[in-house]
Each structure stands twice: as C-alpha cells, then as structure tokens.
Amino acid sequence: MTIQTQMKTADNGVDVEALREIRQALTDMPPAALFTWRATCAWLGGVHSRSTVETFHGACAEQAHRTPYSVEADHPGVFAATDNAATPVEIVLSALASCLTAGVAAIAQHRGVQLRSVTARVEGDMNLHGILGIDADVRNGFEAIRVGFDIDADATREEIAAIVAQSQKRSAVFDIITNPGNVKVALE
Amino acid sequence: MQRITTVVVGAGQCGLAMSRELRRRSVDHVVLERGAIGESWRSERWDSLRLLTPNWMNGVAGHRYAGSDPDGFMSAREFTASLTRAARHDGAPVMAGTRALSLDRAGGGYRLATDRGDFACASVVIATGACALPRIPRFAADLPADVVQLTPRSYKRPSDVPEGAVLVVGASASGLQIARELALAGRRVTLAAGGHQRLPRRYRGRDILWWMHRVGVLDLPYTRVDDLDRVRRAPSLPLLGDPSGADIGLDGLRDLGVEIVGRLGAVRDGAAWFSGALAHVCASADLKLGRLLDRIDAWAEAMGYAGPPPHRPTPTRVPDAPRLSARLGGGGIGAVVWATGYTPDHAWLRLPVFDGRGRLRHTGGVVGDGLYVMGLNYLRTARSTHIAGAPRDARALARHLVGATTRRAAA
C-alpha cells in the first residue's frame, strides 16, 4: 500500500514513463540505440582549453543539443598554470559524480523513492611521479577513486544502498573508468 | 523414415520427465540420446562435481530420492546412475547413441534427421540442456599461445592444469568450485569476479534451498516476472554440494589463498586487464543476499519458525586495491579456466525460432506449433533451472502438447 502511494507521489523530476518508452523503442529497434558522442576541443594558450559539445548521433539520425555547451579546462597555480578552470582530471571526477547522481535520481524515481537531497563527494588519488615521468612504475591516472554519497530520501538505508548499487551498475562513466577501453588518437 | 507422434531429444532429467508424462497420456514417442542416458552429467562435467541441490530435491521423472541421505549432495556420477535407474524402471523408450542432426518442418509436422535415420513426427521436445556449450569471451583468441585454456566442460581435475598460476574467470557456481579445487590442490589461483551472487549453504539451521523452496522464491511464474530476460540470464546458484555443508564464496576462497580481482575486461599486450568495480559487484551481491534473508525471516516469523534466530553474514571482504592486470604466459598466468557461462546448443534447429541474439524464442517452453523446449533457465519458474523443476514443467508442456494434437485432429 505504502509502495503504491509512493509510486504515485515520488517526484524527483525524472520522467520515468518516457524513459520506459524509450527503452522499449530501443529494444525493438536495436540500431536506434547506437549513439556517437562528440566534443571539439580548442587550445586557448598555455594549458588552457575549451571543449564544445553540440551535435551527436543517435536514434538513427544526427541530433543536436538545444544550444552548444562548453567546458573549459586549465591547471592550477601549483602547476605554474593560469588556473582559469578545472583540471581535466577534476572534470573526469565530476563526470563520474554526475553520472552516478543522475542514475540515483532515475532509479529512485523508478522505485517510487522521493529524494530530498543528494550529494556525492568524489576524491581521486594521483601520484604525479606518473605524469611527470619520474617513476615508470607509477601510473598517470588515479590510483584510487572514492565516491561518498550523502542521500536524504524516503527510504531505508538498505533501499538507498540498493539504489546507489544499481546506479553503478547502469553508469556509463563508472564503466568507462573501471574497465579498459580502446582509444585511438590520430593526426588528421 | 520412421513415423512417430513425438520425438524427445535428450535423455536427461527433462527428457525422462517428459517421456513419463507422454507415457501417462499414451502418446507414442521416442527419446533420442546422443550418448548414454544423462550424457552431459556423465562426460561433460568435472570429476568432483556434486549437485548443488540437496538429494531430496533430485528426484527424477516422478521417482523420489529413496537413498539414506536426503540432505546430502549426490555426485554427478550418482545422479547419472539414478537417471538410468528411473529410465529402466519406467521402460522409457530411449534410443541411445543417436544424435539429432537437423530439424525441419515437413508437411504439418517435423522431419528430424539423426545419424541413425530420420523421423517424421507431429511434435518435438528439445531437452538437450541449458549447459551444452561453454560461452567464452571473444578476447580468448588474444591470449598468448603458451597459455592453456580450459572450460568447465574440458576441465576434469587439477592435474589437467599445467603447473603455475591459474586464472579462473567467473564467480558463479562453476568458477567458484573450480577455483576452490585448484587452491586446495596447492595451485596459485586468481579469480576474476564480475556481477555475481552470494548465498550461504545453510541459514538458521536449514539448507538455503529448503528456505527458497518453502518461502516460494522458486515459484513465481514466468508470466509474472518483470524482467524475464534478466532472470533467464542468471547463472547457477553459487553453492557447493559438499558433504561438510561448507559455503563457497569469495571470502572463503580468499581464506584458501585465492586472489580475487575484478571482472576480466580485456586482454591486451599479453596481459589480462581487470575491472576496478570489484567493490561494487561485491556490495551488490551482499545487498541481494540481504533482501533474500529478509524475505526468509519474514516468512519464518509468520510461520512461527522455532529454529535458530536471524543473523546476517558480514559484508564480503573486498581487498583494498585489487590487482588491475596480470601478465599472461611467459611465467605469468599459465592457464585460464573460462567459467563464463554456458549456452544451449540449438544450431540443429533449421527453423525461424530465434531472436535477434540467436536465442530460442519460447513462451514457457512452447516454441511454436508442436515444438517445445525444456530445461532452460527460468523456463516456467525459477524451479525450471533445477532438476526438481523438470517433472512440473514436463506435466505442463505434455498437457499443452496433447491438447494441441487433439485440436489438430479435430480441425
């Protein structure tokens, strides 16, 4: 009974009904599920750059965002840089947190759980001996990443833990970070 | 060409259960068996394998377990013997040493070609098992040539595995059991664990399957499952049929010295690369186990269960920084066991009965006009996955088969 009521009243601002329809459509038409995402990055001088996203391919057609968006990246003063923006690795951490948070909201909605607040704190440990080429045994990227969720919702701790687990299971960025993938870089 | 009403392909627990139901309904039939009765159990499992289900659940074709150890776990060999006994007792019309080669439509029925002649029949029951072919990831082809590759079908005993470090890929029943056996034989074992389940062998004084059986976990019909595709993909329960009643799980394997790493994600430059999501898949398995135990406890309380009180296992002990890669060959890992699941072998069906991913389409075992399948995961209920599910599924499908035959005759 409670679950039924929650199903109707929980509103996290995610249109689960529409998502369900999209899922069905993409199940029935597998080619429509093949997406290609793009970004164009321009050097702005120093180690400062601006990436812009505008178009992507999906649902068997060219698509575009409502408007182009851009994300700038730079490096902080301790790197002897101008610190005009976040570092690329902080953007990666932000992308992970955003992806998991979006998942938490959508899954909570799907399960009829009303969220009141969600905060994800992300930390990544990095040994700069890697990118500076000081120690060949140290990797460039994060040695470890930790995500801590602080969630206030109408649900038990176990239910919230299950939502967080499911958001990892369905997260693109979590997969990108935890699993190897092939990357090709070419000169055009 | 031999004419017969129904051909059952496969004389295992499903084929024999179906034969019994057809006999009770006086349906003229034959049970084809490529080898001897219970061939998969006989020749395609490892030596030490015992059934995961307690003996009281392992009756065959309506014959209850009649031995002296209903709570024990019989070996695959003993189970094969019980299949043979049941078939003999019932006088099941088994044609051993007969391999089905192809199935086509012919007239209003089917033409089934075998290596010992063809059959013309009105209906066919496919009972060749869910675990016919090991499923191996594509990147198996990228392994260095000096790495020996095995599957739960080709692996028989630890001495089959060359000396040195072994990577077992997959943390379901087969992977866990093979990793354990290799570790007990003194091998250096790494186990790659992706999404997996965790189950204790016993809970509150009873076998976990006793609980699942009683609570009704195994009884939800396929028509009422939200995501049928997902439950049908679920691997065998992560249990061990050990006489000691021991659990099998990642913690226990770590205690035996097995190194646990994440899902094998890629093979590149002579190395295996593992996912960094081990903590996540372990937490998911713990949560899922917690939900099952909650359900059991609620049922136990409602029924006034007088046994030991509820308790919760401690969360899986995940290593702090699980290894993300391992060298393959050249003194690193010398052998890989692909315990990455199985698929049924339906390649001999020359019929438009497959979905886009090559899986047989069926509705609770009814594939189409006069064509049935048995023994697949969650065919009709979760019970279908187990030996204990065969008699019930056989009854439902035999009823459908006879009804369809009668309807055809009336038309």
Side-chain angles (χ1 to χ4, degrees), chain A residues 176 180-186, chain B residues 268:
Chain A
I176 290 165
N182 288 314
V183 179
K184 276 185 198 153
V185 179
Chain B
R268 209 157 54 197

Side-chain angles (χ1 to χ4, degrees), chain B residues 41-63:
Chain B
W41 293 107
R42 195 181 293 270
S43 63
E44 296 177 353
R45 302 292 179 266
W46 58 96
D47 293 350
S48 68
L49 176 67
R50 287 175 177 275
L51 302 190
L52 306 178
T53 43
N55 290 336
W56 58 265
M57 279 181 80
N58 303 330
V60 174
H63 300 272

Side-chain angles (χ1 to χ4, degrees), chain A residues 139 162 165 168 174 178-179 181-182, chain B residues 268 275-277 280 287 291 324:
Chain A
R139 68 181 289 179
Q168 291 165 75
F174 184 81
T178 56
N179 288 304
N182 288 314
Chain B
R268 209 157 54 197
S275 164
H280 157 60
L287 282 164
R291 289 194 292 271
L324 296 171

